[in-house]
Amino acid sequence: MEKMTDKTILEERQGEATLLANSSESERKIYIESYGCQMNFSDSEIVASILDKSGFGTTRNHEEADVILLNTCSIREKAEQTVRNRLNAFRKQKSNNSNVVVGILGCMAERMKHTLLEEEKLVDLVVGPDAYRDLPSLIEEVDSGQKAVNVLLSRDETYADINPIRLGSNGVSAFISIMRGCDNMCSFCVVPFTRGRERSRNPMSIVAEAKELFENGYREVTLLGQNVDSYKWNINRKGEVENENEPTVNFAQLMEMVAQVSPELRIRFSTSHPKDMTDEVLHTMARHDNICKYIHLPVQSGNSEILKKMNRGYTREWYLDRIKAIKTILPECAISTDIICGFCSENEDQHADTLSLMKEVNYDFAYHFFYSERPKTLAERKYEDDVPEEVKKRRLKEVTELQRACSLEHHKKYIGTIQSILIEGPSRKSVEQQCGRNTQNAMVVFDKTDYPAGQYIDVLIEDCTAATLFGKVVSK
Ligand code: SAH
Ligand code: SF4
Ligand code: F3S
């Protein structure tokens, strides 16, 4: 399999269910599966917390669940199809026991609203990303024999006061959501419609969450937002201070505050936006060893005309200038990206520009997709989805092959070096091995030690594939 970093693993996972502590035989049980980005997985932890307070336990087995929830993604058509196929698995259970509540949460709920109830008869509950506090009363509504929908988007909901219940966690790494929504309106993207306006969460609640995680043994947090560089507290959309008596906080400052929780706590973040990523962020990263030297900076296309049509807010030259800043200020930093192949009207020369940009940047890793038209987006309304599917697929293959070669070259450079690894747990392939990542987010596998997950160790890298580094432990 291709090298998969966290995000891909999450996208590929066919949902995750979890077992909460303290669930007793008598209480009603929920079963949650999550799809899509890290934000959705983080939201499921908020949902579990909200329902836990209302007396719901959880189960990993949907057959013993009273409430089945799918937290869904709409980013590409395929993501929605996956959820629709998955619903089939619950059809028989619902026909055997009509008291079982089936709910759709997340982006597909927000995008489709009531239509979901019409198209998928077994669905009882449709709840958008800003309405999770309403879940207990919506479930009551379903219990009383009605279908229930809440897809209201909010201008200020951040769930800042809710202490997420960590689902499917390795006890070492956790997500912290720092903002919600997105105001960018990239022309291909459904997120602004499914997640609403951008809003930032109170920095004190973010630092408190990081501290609590650290005290509970966690050693790595990932700060999450669709565009973390535009995080702002006490600053309005025009850039003015809202309350003169309170401090203002931008993303660089927030990251610094979290980094100061402990030098033993690693900080990661996702996603940066090329138009907003400042040198201040890069200098902050340089000052703190515990802020990981890894930046995911989605480019989408290497051609300025296509970037303009995508409404990304930068040109190829601007993007390359940001890459230059990273390489100058943070020479050890790994860089990854997202690429869309076959966007409306993309021709062979424009595609070649993407390949040449990839070579110039020399990414450590890339996620690549072919363009999938999404309802209501600017691209759907304004441009024709005119690149034939086989051309999209061929271009995607070229991008994939180029990236695999680049990833392998990057990995080969680690051979013979000693890398500091945070142990995450047993490797996925063998219990005789453990795994963890270096600061650049490369996955390292080594023979099992007595050191537990959450421990930092030094590993001498001896071998690699495009996906993984292999090595032996040289010291603690
Ligand atoms: N907020 C992040 C991206 C979130 S979506 C950012 O701006 O970088 C994750 C990725 O999905 C995007 O970077 C893009 O590459 C891809 N994507 C989004 N909409 C898509 C579409 N309609 N078709 C194909 N890929 C898409
Ligand atoms: Fe979508 Fe663009 Fe917002 Fe990312 S920045 S979520 S791609 S609209
Ligand atoms: Fe998907 Fe929504 Fe995330 S559309 S990628 S789950 S914000």
Side-chain angles (χ1 to χ4, degrees):
M1 195 185 282
E2 271 285 315
K3 169 177 171 172
M4 296 207 296
T5 52
D6 292 344
K7 196 172 107 179
T8 313
I9 291 168
L10 298 183
E11 283 185 357
E12 302 281 314
R13 263 193 223 165
Q14 294 296 295
E16 258 316 80
T18 192
L19 196 61
L20 296 187
N22 309 326
S23 60
S24 72
E25 284 303 307
S26 58
E27 69 194 351
R28 290 175 82 193
K29 290 193 170 67
I30 53 163
Y31 168 88
I32 314 182
E33 276 183 12
S34 307
Y35 296 82
C37 64
Q38 293 167 334
M39 195 68 88
N40 250 15
F41 282 75
S42 172
D43 278 2
S44 290
E45 302 186 331
I46 287 165
V47 166
S49 175
I50 290 169
L51 288 173
D52 179 55
K53 285 202 182 65
S54 291
F56 285 87
T58 59
T59 170
R60 281 173 196 272
N61 177 1
H62 68 80
E63 286 176 354
E64 60 178 50
D66 303 286
V67 181
I68 295 172
L69 300 174
L70 301 190
N71 196 356
T72 62
C73 173
S74 286
I75 201 81
R76 286 168 287 275
E77 200 183 336
K78 191 167 159 264
E80 292 198 353
Q81 201 49 54
T82 306
V83 169
R84 290 192 187 245
N85 294 344
R86 184 62 181 139
L87 278 173
N88 288 328
F90 309 122
R91 235 171 271 281
K92 192 160 162 240
Q93 188 176 347
K94 178 85 177 171
S95 63
N96 289 343
N97 176 4
S98 60
N99 290 332
V100 173
V101 178
V102 176
I104 300 287
L105 315 181
C107 292
M108 209 171 150
E110 192 63 50
R111 190 185 80 69
M112 298 190 62
K113 305 183 171 60
H114 289 83
T115 330
L116 253 179
L117 295 179
E118 286 147 32
E119 290 184 9
E120 302 288 349
K121 296 285 180 233
L122 83 162
V123 172
D124 307 294
L125 186 66
V126 175
V127 189
D130 285 347
Y132 296 147
R133 286 181 203 269
D134 204 18
L135 265 169
S137 62
L138 292 166
I139 292 173
E140 266 179 39
E141 232 174 88
V142 175
D143 289 341
S144 72
Q146 304 159 53
K147 302 257 174 182
V149 178
N150 187 344
V151 287
L152 285 177
L153 286 172
S154 156
R155 279 183 166 258
D156 46 31
E157 177 63 272
T158 60
Y159 300 111
D161 58 317
I162 292 185
N163 201 358
I165 288 179
R166 307 291 163 184
L167 304 175
S169 159
N170 59 8
V172 176
S173 323
F175 299 130
I176 301 183
S177 173
I178 64 164
M179 58 204 294
R180 299 181 73 82
C182 182
D183 283 351
N184 278 324
M185 291 306 226
C186 300
S187 64
F188 52 80
C189 185
V190 77
V191 171
F193 301 93
T194 63
R195 294 263 163 185
R197 298 306 297 268
E198 180 188 293
R199 66 220 94 122
S200 297
R201 173 179 165 188
N202 184 328
M204 299 322 291
S205 77
I206 295 169
V207 173
E209 189 171 333
K211 271 193 184 135
E212 192 182 327
L213 284 164
F214 185 75
E215 280 154 16
N216 287 323
Y218 285 82
R219 290 293 174 265
E220 184 174 85
V221 294
T222 303
L223 308 179
L224 290 183
Q226 293 299 347
N227 176 2
V228 290
D229 298 293
S230 83
Y231 175 90
K232 43 181 145 346
W233 184 251
N234 195 21
I235 306 171
N236 69 18
R237 284 176 211 284
K238 291 185 204 143
E240 299 154 352
V241 178
E242 280 174 343
N243 178 349
E244 295 289 346
N245 303 319
E246 294 279 329
T248 59
V249 181
N250 65 18
F251 180 59
Q253 292 160 333
L254 176 75
M255 207 159 52
E256 183 132 53
M257 288 159 74
V258 180
Q260 282 162 350
V261 166
S262 165
E264 294 285 296
L265 181 68
R266 272 185 174 179
I267 321 299
R268 298 188 185 276
F269 54 89
S270 185
T271 303
S272 304
H273 197 298
K275 80 176 162 58
D276 297 318
M277 193 192 64
T278 60
D279 286 357
E280 187 191 358
V281 165
L282 303 177
H283 287 298
T284 306
M285 291 175 75
R287 274 200 305 278
H288 294 274
D289 279 346
N290 59 331
I291 303 182
C292 289
K293 303 301 177 278
Y294 168 61
I295 299 179
H296 180 60
L297 197 67
V299 66
Q300 315 298 357
S301 164
N303 177 272
S304 294
E305 229 172 287
I306 293 290
L307 286 169
K308 188 155 194 286
K309 275 185 120 165
M310 287 177 162
N311 201 24
R312 286 291 287 179
Y314 55 85
T315 58
R316 176 187 174 102
E317 290 69 34
W318 172 280
Y319 184 88
L320 287 173
D321 172 74
R322 295 291 73 214
I323 294 293
K324 202 166 129 203
I326 298 173
K327 290 187 175 176
T328 310
I329 300 167
L330 299 165
E332 302 297 314
C333 192
I335 307 172
S336 65
T337 201
D338 288 347
I339 287 169
I340 297 179
C341 297
F343 184 64
C344 312
S345 80
E346 185 191 65
N347 62 31
E348 291 303 329
D349 287 347
Q350 292 167 329
H351 166 62
D353 283 346
T354 297
L355 296 174
S356 79
L357 179 129
M358 288 175 71
K359 284 185 196 146
E360 194 166 337
V361 177
N362 191 16
Y363 290 109
D364 290 74
F365 188 71
Y367 303 89
H368 6 87
F369 317 97
F370 60 80
Y371 173 58
S372 163
E373 186 177 79
R374 308 310 294 131
K376 276 200 187 162
T377 55
L378 190 73
E380 189 246 359
R381 287 181 281 133
K382 214 169 147 189
Y383 308 123
E384 200 184 332
D385 179 13
D386 55 358
V387 177
E389 191 163 319
E390 63 274 14
V391 176
K392 286 182 181 173
K393 287 192 171 155
R394 194 207 75 232
R395 291 180 188 166
L396 183 68
K397 192 161 168 263
E398 287 171 14
V399 165
T400 309
E401 279 169 8
L402 174 59
Q403 187 51 48
R404 183 173 299 143
C406 284
S407 296
L408 184 60
E409 285 312 306
H410 276 288
H411 275 181
K412 279 186 184 162
K413 286 194 196 125
Y414 287 118
I415 294 178
T417 67
I418 291 173
Q419 298 291 314
S420 173
I421 305 301
L422 174 62
I423 304 179
E424 290 179 14
S427 101
R428 285 211 291 167
K429 287 198 180 139
S430 160
V431 287
E432 295 306 312
Q433 293 184 308
Q434 285 176 302
C435 69
R437 287 166 205 277
N438 64 1
T439 182
Q440 288 91 350
N441 207 37
M443 178 56 87
V444 181
V445 171
F446 47 91
D447 282 345
K448 190 172 179 300
T449 64
D450 293 333
Y451 302 127
Q455 174 85 53
Y456 291 96
I457 45 155
D458 284 343
V459 176
L460 171 67
I461 306 302
E462 297 176 314
D463 198 2
C464 73
T465 63
T468 315
L469 302 175
F470 301 95
K472 68 168 184 227
V473 175
V474 288
S475 81
K476 200 169 100 165

